[in-house]
Amino acid sequence: MTSQVSSPAEQADGAGGAVVGGQRTPGSPDGKEVRRLDRVIIRFAGDSGDGMQLTGDRFTSETASFGNDLSTLPNFPAEIRAPAGTLPGVSSFQLHFADHDILTPGDAPNVLVAMNPAALKANIADVPRGAEIIVNTDEFTKRPMAKVGYETSPLEDGSLAAYNLHPVPLTTLTLEALKDFGLSRKEAERSKNMFALGLLSWMYHRPTEATESFLRQKFAKKPEIAEANIVAFRAGWNFGETTEDFAVSYEVAPATQAFPTGTYRNISGNLALSYGLIAASQQADLPLYLGSYPITPASDILHELSKHKNFGVRTFQAEDEIAGIGAALGAAFGGALGVTTTSGPGVALKSETIGLAVSLELPLLIVDIQRGGPSTGLPTKTEQADLLQAMYGRNGEAPVPIVAPRTPADCFDAALDAARIALTYRTPVFLLSDGYLANGSEPWRIPEVADLPDLKVKFAAATNHTLADGTEVFWPYKRDPETLARPWAVPGTPGLEHRIGGIEKQDGTGNISYDPANHDFMVRTRQAKIDGIEVPELDVDDPDGATTLVLGWGSTYGPITAAVRRVRGAGLPVAQAHLRHLNPFPRNLGEVLERYEKVVVPEMNLGQLATLIRAKYLVDAQSYNQVNGMPFKAEQLAKVLKEAIDD
């Protein structure tokens, strides 16, 4: 068969896996056909106890080490342990990997691995016709099917005729492979996810050494369990190699042209953010102090930072959200880089202390990993609906800068940027990530330390004001004329004793003041300080002189950019701009908006950025919204943009 290059439409991010070439590999030991693909989207799905997240993580690690570009979407049940075999208990992990630059976990899986009837039913609507479906036939018995409403077996009633169905008795094959280990049936069954991983690793020519090494390390205290998992993993590989049901395997070449030269690793958003906080503290030469209370999906940051005491990191798991931020603000007063991590419900509890930080004018990072709300809402699902809460969710005039990363890897740079603002301008700063970024992953180019920004600060060390009688004193609210930041005086510094608290302060002296004119001045000064923060101008990607602009923020970057590629591939001009800084906005944002006849703002909320844009710039921004707990799909946004352009 001759090779062929996929068309631009096929190359659009998130589309199905187009065949680049299909041929038998010369000298292939099994003699099976090997087809080259430019991309593949795989979804592993099963009960939350089936190890789907571990399976997906391992396949992702194999893929990252192979050199593909990739993007992942873990999807967890909200319940800690939903009833087995039910729809609410389905856990899935989607991975999109390619030989070129990609931006999203993909719209629809080319391959679905369903470990039980619930996994099949929960995910089949997303699977396009002609896709591969691998099912664990051992679970398709009467009772598990009845739990999810299957009156007849979908494997036998013809309802899956439009798909390439591969019925595999995963449980039986795993038990057979492990029969000599002396494990109980329950213990042996737990390895069926490794059998599935081995099968998929064979199908897509993934490396295996790292997974076997990982299993030996993970189960180092139970070597018999480690070896059982390795044997199951190898059995899955061998099954793919020998069975006639899988006549074809696939190759996706490394993305050699997608990345600049450098050292890369796969990284999740929460891990990148954790590393960014550590890097910020090192670049500032300050100890990092995290005061936090565990909450999904932010807890991983607490877990990760607790491992890095060697970098001067101190973590405090407080008894509640209020205590967590109180400790972080106290650490900031003491001269540390104070951080608190949470999600939307925790921000509500922290709001009074955030206001106190505004009044004290101390650097503090508030990391909000947004999730579906209101109240407890959807703890394991994503949303970006805390923007207005971050902007206005405090009593009084209490302005706070807001920074939002756009990809999992970008969480590292966003953390450094947020720290820069907090330390330079002596203010609390919101860092708005979300569940999609936090749990998703992508390749990250490890930066050179020499390329990181210098964040060092100078603490106040001497008196800074002369009274009329010539006395030298320290005024804690005497400001830097450029940044309007007040001096940062570490407690215990001789001669720099000063009063702090939440009551309004007198300009300069910091003494308690109820003077109306002083309060007006202090309110306006704090606002002017935020308005004057230096942020980069907004970059606009507009190669064709479009009349329609799509404006996004945060985690919508990937789906929006993928949609823009599709629209341009169809011959339609569209411009794109993406905001990292939401308070203050880039200074040229108003001028950018005025250049376009139409502005489309996709958000995973009911139009919060669009509301701010309309109010500040009097632009009739068209809001496109989704609040179903899942990220946008590229094709979905492409359709919206085409309609806006054609309208």
Side-chain angles (χ1 to χ4, degrees):
M1 181 181 295
T2 57
S3 297
Q4 60 184 45
V5 178
S6 53
S7 68
E10 289 172 326
Q11 290 178 347
D13 183 82
V19 176
V20 176
Q23 55 191 0
R24 294 184 186 275
T25 302
S28 176
D30 56 16
K32 293 185 176 182
E33 181 182 356
V34 178
R35 294 180 186 169
R36 285 188 55 212
L37 306 178
D38 62 359
R39 85 196 60 76
V40 175
I41 303 166
I42 299 175
R43 183 181 299 177
F44 298 93
D47 264 333
S48 56
D50 283 338
M52 293 297 94
Q53 302 305 320
L54 175 62
T55 305
D57 282 339
R58 289 315 313 160
F59 196 92
T60 299
S61 295
E62 295 171 2
T63 298
S65 67
F66 189 72
N68 296 119
D69 195 9
L70 61 87
S71 179
T72 67
L73 177 62
N75 190 12
F76 311 94
E79 292 81 0
I80 294 174
R81 189 66 178 97
T86 63
L87 294 175
V90 173
S91 174
S92 67
F93 188 104
Q94 184 162 305
L95 165 67
H96 183 191
F97 62 101
D99 65 2
H100 58 277
D101 173 38
I102 59 173
L103 298 154
T104 77
D107 287 357
N110 309 121
V111 182
L112 171 66
V113 180
M115 303 297 281
N116 60 17
L120 178 65
K121 188 159 192 176
N123 292 281
I124 190 63
D126 292 336
V127 182
R129 297 167 68 88
E132 310 271 344
I133 299 179
I134 301 171
V135 294
N136 180 14
T137 56
D138 290 322
E139 291 295 322
F140 280 75
T141 57
K142 187 173 182 180
R143 186 177 179 186
M145 290 191 296
K147 280 186 179 181
V148 295
Y150 281 132
E151 296 181 2
T152 60
S153 173
L155 309 184
E156 300 171 355
D157 63 9
S159 59
L160 301 178
Y163 308 96
N164 293 322
L165 181 65
H166 301 280
V168 181
L170 291 173
T171 305
T172 299
L173 291 170
T174 303
L175 293 175
E176 178 65 23
L178 303 182
K179 63 182 180 181
D180 296 331
F181 276 79
L183 302 174
S184 68
R185 180 183 176 90
K186 185 175 182 180
E187 288 175 326
E189 278 189 14
R190 289 174 179 163
S191 297
K192 64 181 182 288
N193 64 323
M194 288 297 104
F195 189 101
L197 177 60
L199 173 58
L200 269 294
S201 297
W202 171 82
M203 284 182 66
Y204 292 98
H205 297 243
R206 300 295 92 184
T208 60
E209 294 80 5
T211 291
E212 294 190 10
S213 176
F214 166 82
L215 291 170
R216 289 193 174 94
Q217 292 177 12
K218 180 177 176 64
F219 298 106
K221 296 181 179 179
K222 296 181 178 180
E224 71 283 359
I225 299 297
E227 289 306 312
N229 277 282
I230 290 170
V231 168
F233 176 66
R234 291 174 178 172
W237 177 284
N238 293 333
F239 177 78
E241 198 169 43
T242 57
T243 183
E244 295 182 2
D245 192 36
F246 292 90
V248 178
S249 64
Y250 304 92
E251 287 184 348
V252 180
T256 54
Q257 304 300 317
F259 307 115
T261 302
T263 303
Y264 288 79
R265 60 156 295 167
N266 185 52
I267 200 165
S268 69
N270 274 351
L271 184 57
L273 202 153
S274 300
Y275 288 173
L277 294 173
I278 296 171
S281 73
Q282 293 295 299
Q283 294 302 105
D285 197 20
L286 298 174
L288 177 64
Y289 184 94
L290 175 69
S292 185
Y293 180 75
I295 184 172
T296 302
S299 299
D300 286 342
I301 302 172
L302 170 61
H303 300 160
E304 182 61 33
L305 290 180
S306 68
K307 303 174 184 177
H308 297 286
K309 297 180 179 64
N310 56 313
F311 285 111
V313 178
R314 293 189 178 183
T315 54
F316 169 52
Q317 181 174 319
E319 65 269 28
D320 56 38
E321 297 279 7
I322 299 171
I325 190 173
L329 182 57
F333 177 63
L337 178 58
V339 182
T340 190
T341 53
T342 189
S343 191
V347 173
L349 293 169
K350 296 177 189 292
S351 61
E352 183 179 4
T353 308
I354 297 171
L356 176 60
V358 171
S359 178
L360 296 181
E361 300 190 46
L362 287 171
L364 177 68
L365 300 185
I366 306 108
V367 179
D368 178 6
I369 313 297
Q370 301 167 93
R371 71 191 204 191
S375 188
T376 306
L378 304 174
T380 61
K381 310 300 180 184
T382 195
E383 206 166 271
Q384 49 176 184
D386 295 348
L387 175 55
L388 294 184
Q389 182 183 31
M391 186 76 77
Y392 300 121
R394 293 162 295 284
N395 62 297
E397 295 288 344
V400 175
I402 302 171
V403 178
R406 63 186 189 178
T407 68
D410 187 48
C411 289
F412 178 87
D413 295 317
L416 283 166
D417 199 13
R420 171 190 69 84
I421 293 171
L423 295 171
T424 303
Y425 296 91
R426 311 285 197 268
T427 177
V429 177
F430 262 104
L431 182 56
L432 290 185
S433 179
D434 60 39
Y436 171 39
L437 296 183
N439 297 317
S441 65
E442 66 175 352
W444 172 55
R445 184 175 183 270
I446 301 173
E448 298 292 335
V449 174
D451 295 334
L452 298 178
D454 183 0
L455 301 179
K456 288 184 176 61
V457 297
K458 290 184 178 180
F459 292 114
T463 57
N464 62 359
H465 186 75
T466 304
L467 299 178
D469 62 2
T471 304
E472 298 289 331
V473 297
F474 175 67
W475 275 15
Y477 282 83
K478 187 168 185 176
R479 302 179 182 278
D480 182 298
E482 292 185 5
T483 65
L484 299 181
R486 78 175 186 90
W488 192 1
V490 176
T493 306
L496 304 191
E497 299 85 356
H498 60 283
R499 184 181 289 112
I500 65 169
I503 297 178
E504 184 64 279
K505 293 124 183 91
Q506 185 182 48
D507 176 43
T509 68
N511 296 330
I512 291 174
S513 173
Y514 291 99
D515 176 59
N518 177 78
H519 176 60
D520 182 273
F521 177 81
M522 292 295 279
V523 167
R524 295 180 186 275
T525 301
R526 287 189 289 261
Q527 182 65 57
K529 180 171 69 169
I530 304 307
D531 292 341
I533 290 173
E534 183 179 341
V535 301
E537 290 200 340
L538 183 64
D539 288 330
V540 182
D541 177 19
D542 185 4
D544 303 311
T547 59
T548 298
L549 170 72
V550 55
L551 179 69
W553 70 278
S555 67
T556 58
Y557 173 78
I560 289 175
T561 307
V564 166
R565 288 182 180 179
R566 294 188 181 198
V567 171
R568 290 176 180 170
L572 297 175
V574 62
Q576 179 188 3
H578 205 80
L579 291 167
R580 165 176 279 180
H581 298 93
L582 297 144
N583 194 30
F585 286 130
R587 287 176 174 78
N588 67 329
L589 177 56
E591 181 270 325
V592 167
L593 295 172
E594 289 178 358
R595 296 206 306 254
Y596 295 93
E597 296 177 8
K598 298 175 186 175
V599 178
V600 181
V601 185
E603 298 180 80
M604 292 187 293
N605 56 46
L606 294 183
Q608 297 187 15
L609 174 61
T611 296
L612 295 173
I613 293 295
R614 292 186 189 114
K616 185 173 179 64
Y617 299 104
L618 303 181
V619 170
D620 185 21
Q622 300 178 24
S623 190
Y624 181 75
N625 310 115
Q626 175 175 294
V627 282
N628 61 7
M630 298 295 289
F632 286 115
K633 294 181 177 179
E635 184 58 35
Q636 169 190 5
L637 292 182
K639 182 179 179 182
V640 171
L641 295 180
K642 289 175 183 176
E643 291 174 350
I645 294 169
D646 294 337
D647 186 14

